[in-house]
Amino acid sequence: MSHRLLAVHAHPDDETLTMAGTLAGAVVAGAQVTLVTATLGEEGEVIGDELRGLVAEHADQLGGYRLAELRAACKALGVKDSRMLGGAGAFRDSGMLGPRSADVPRVFTRAAPGGPDHERVVQMLGRMINVSRPDVLLTYDADGGYGHPDHVAVHQVAVAAAAQAGWPTPRVLAVIRPRTVTTAAFDAFPVPRGYLRAAAGDVGSLADDSVVAVAVPVAGVGRARRRALAAHATQVTLIPGGFALSNRIAQPLPGTEYYRLLAGDPPPRRPDGSPADDVFAGLS
């Protein structure tokens, strides 16, 4: 019987930027992979001039375009089951406004604890969990990776929904960037002309090395990951060995994707004491 994996994300491209290798590798290994995305990413910026008019303050058509990018990325990764939480357009990208955006209809920050949509959205995702019955659920850590309020709300909703699942609770893992290896990768990365160098901590949170529970090597699916990144062309520019977002900060593509345990059975460590190399490690 194949394993089942459910990944829960905030916007199109988050799945690829954070865990493309894990998703593609799980597909190759025969797992049933489901991706749930909460919003269409309407508040995103756009790289290049041709499509810049799609952004929220102009045509406000970026969300539909990013949905097509998401579908192309999923095809590149082999993910056949991709769903929008509540259906396409049910929830809107909150941008980086934080609590101030909670009064705007449909924004996903309304699903944060204490928000008017929290219980409804938890139940909505809970029903999806009970249908897909994942062995493993992947999402963000409590800080959302870099503080985006939609990422934080997705973490909160996913953890609550998994805890309420009507069958054995799945192993819940948060994608993280360990401090030592991430800092070293950024320091050693050759930044192409025209791009910016930044410290690893400047583009997102760094986790203590000690919390790593799973370290998934992804070199074997590197081509699929780059194809998926290329699919998100309004948001991502590929560069040798890495990528850049609209801020033009060069970031290396890691050879390993890392996770910490949020809930469920801890993955067993390998014989040498290092973290498990498979999100399904130890699960029957």
Side-chain angles (χ1 to χ4, degrees):
M1 180 175 172
S2 62
H3 287 298
R4 297 178 298 275
L5 174 66
L6 175 66
V8 187
H9 282 282
H11 317 104
D13 81 358
D14 291 329
E15 80 297 327
T16 299
L17 292 169
T18 62
M19 58 181 66
T22 303
L23 299 180
V27 170
V28 170
Q32 301 175 38
V33 177
T34 298
L35 170 65
V36 175
T37 308
T39 81
L40 294 169
E42 299 93 333
E43 296 294 326
E45 298 177 351
V46 171
I47 296 173
D49 294 331
E50 181 183 4
L51 301 176
R52 193 161 291 166
L54 297 178
V55 297
E57 58 266 33
H58 294 298
D60 198 14
Q61 297 294 307
L62 182 58
Y65 198 91
R66 292 187 71 179
L67 177 58
E69 292 184 331
L70 175 62
R71 288 172 174 167
C74 285
K75 183 177 181 180
L77 298 175
V79 176
K80 296 180 180 179
D81 187 6
S82 175
R83 313 176 190 182
M84 298 301 302
L85 184 62
F91 302 104
R92 185 176 176 89
D93 182 355
S94 307
M96 291 297 286
L97 294 177
R100 289 185 295 147
S101 68
D103 294 331
V104 180
R106 296 190 300 109
V107 294
F108 197 71
T109 48
R110 293 168 61 93
D117 292 337
H118 179 66
E119 288 302 325
R120 179 172 70 90
V121 178
V122 169
Q123 292 175 14
M124 187 181 297
L125 182 60
R127 288 192 293 270
M128 298 177 80
I129 291 172
N130 286 332
V131 169
S132 60
R133 296 200 166 200
D135 302 295
V136 172
L137 187 152
L138 304 181
T139 190
Y140 314 110
D141 211 351
D143 59 7
Y146 67 100
H148 193 296
D150 284 341
H151 287 225
V152 174
V154 163
H155 162 87
Q156 294 163 334
V157 167
V159 170
Q164 294 180 17
W167 66 290
T169 303
R171 173 184 289 165
V172 183
L173 298 171
V175 64
I176 58 172
R177 300 189 311 151
R179 179 170 286 103
T180 298
V181 66
T182 307
T183 298
F186 269 74
D187 290 347
F189 189 57
V191 175
R193 184 187 299 272
Y195 290 87
L196 305 174
R197 178 178 295 280
D202 293 338
V203 297
S205 305
L206 300 177
D208 290 340
D209 299 357
S210 61
V211 304
V212 175
V214 184
V216 181
V218 298
V221 289
R223 285 188 176 183
R225 177 171 62 173
R226 289 189 70 83
R227 288 197 302 270
L229 284 165
H232 290 293
T234 63
Q235 308 299 306
V236 180
T237 300
L238 282 171
I239 58 178
F243 67 95
L245 304 179
S246 59
N247 56 19
R248 297 191 69 78
I249 293 175
Q251 301 189 47
L253 279 171
T256 303
E257 293 169 352
Y258 299 90
Y259 300 86
R260 70 178 298 174
L261 181 70
L262 296 179
D265 294 332
R269 300 188 77 83
R270 302 179 73 190
D272 63 0
S274 62
D277 60 2
D278 182 355
V279 296
F280 300 111
L283 298 178
S284 58

